Amino acid sequence: MKKLCFVFEINTNARPVLNLLPWIYMNGEELAEHLSGKYEVMFDYFKNKDRADYLVVPNPNGGFINETDLPEIPVDLELFFNKDFQGIEASIDNFFNEKQR
């Protein structure tokens, strides 16, 4: 099972900062449950960056530096604001479908 780490952090300054905007609008537990049949879902990039296979990064991301060079899956930030779990899942699935071509 692919391990996805959702990145809601900004790390352009000397210290990492949690970007709370997506969290205000969505519930990470609900998202993880929605994706649980297909993907292992993690949050907190700084804690899980060494365990993840892919990073799911809201687009635009507002200042995230990928320290691990893991592949990034861009997902429209609006999908998080709208709690569109199916849209988030479709974006992730499309990334993997395009990658297989």
Side-chain angles (χ1 to χ4, degrees), residues 41-61:
V41 174
M42 297 172 262
F43 300 95
D44 192 342
Y45 169 75
F46 298 101
K47 188 187 295 184
N48 293 302
K49 63 185 174 184
D50 296 327
R51 295 182 45 224
D53 299 323
Y54 299 89
L55 303 177
V56 179
V57 181
N59 187 21
N61 69 34

Side-chain angles (χ1 to χ4, degrees), residues 30-92:
E30 289 178 15
L31 176 60
E33 184 177 321
H34 180 83
L35 297 173
S36 67
K38 289 182 166 180
Y39 306 107
E40 182 179 332
V41 174
M42 297 172 262
F43 300 95
D44 192 342
Y45 169 75
F46 298 101
K47 188 187 295 184
N48 293 302
K49 63 185 174 184
D50 296 327
R51 295 182 45 224
D53 299 323
Y54 299 89
L55 303 177
V56 179
V57 181
N59 187 21
N61 69 34
F64 169 72
I65 298 170
N66 184 347
E67 299 170 352
T68 57
D69 292 325
L70 287 171
E72 293 183 21
I73 304 171
V75 175
D76 186 358
L77 182 61
E78 187 174 324
L79 296 174
F80 293 99
F81 288 138
N82 294 329
K83 298 181 186 178
D84 186 351
F85 299 148
Q86 292 177 334
I88 294 168
E89 179 181 10
S91 294
I92 294 167

